[in-house]
Amino acid sequence: MIKRQVRSLQSPDKPNQLNTVMKSINLANLGTEGWCAIFHALRDNKDNKIESWDLCSPDSEMNPEIATALAEYVSVSVVLSKLVITSVNLEDEGAIALSKSLKVNQR
């Protein structure tokens, strides 16, 4: 199921790359594996155009593993300009990973 969700974001003419026209997305209930797959795919696709992520929700799935995958993506994104997160589940590991990624990606 996770691979199908990631595959649906892929560009039809470049099956190994995500759709490069997507600028914003709102997803929920993907679980740790799903969120990590999304953020790793975005990290590996230097042509993605996602400018903002709003990861706030009453039942936020954010945890240290997802935060670490998100941090890897944030550290290499050249277009991401807005990231909104509200979570009490980040723990020290996730918060540290995200703060380091923001320091690395100083545009």
Side-chain angles (χ1 to χ4, degrees), residues 30-72:
L30 295 178
T32 299
E33 184 181 354
W35 282 112
C36 290
I38 294 289
F39 293 136
H40 288 151
L42 290 169
R43 174 200 63 202
D44 297 340
N45 178 6
K46 307 301 184 221
D47 294 326
N48 84 75
K49 305 288 187 230
I50 295 179
E51 298 171 347
S52 70
W53 275 93
D54 185 343
L55 299 172
C56 297
S57 78
D59 13 302
S60 175
E61 298 177 281
M62 188 64 64
N63 63 42
E65 188 176 348
I66 295 170
T68 300
L70 172 60
E72 292 171 7

Side-chain angles (χ1 to χ4, degrees), residues 55-58 60 62 84-90:
L55 299 172
C56 297
S57 78
S60 175
M62 188 64 64
V84 181
I85 301 172
T86 56
S87 177
V88 294
N89 299 322
L90 281 178

Side-chain angles (χ1 to χ4, degrees), residues 10-44:
Q10 292 178 337
S11 174
D13 56 331
K14 297 178 183 177
N16 293 322
Q17 291 186 1
L18 292 180
N19 184 338
T20 58
V21 297
M22 186 182 313
K23 293 186 177 185
S24 178
I25 191 167
N26 185 2
L27 300 172
N29 303 318
L30 295 178
T32 299
E33 184 181 354
W35 282 112
C36 290
I38 294 289
F39 293 136
H40 288 151
L42 290 169
R43 174 200 63 202
D44 297 340

Side-chain angles (χ1 to χ4, degrees), residues 65-82:
E65 188 176 348
I66 295 170
T68 300
L70 172 60
E72 292 171 7
Y73 158 58
V74 168
S75 69
V76 298
S77 175
V78 295
V79 295
L80 185 68
S81 60
K82 181 179 179 181

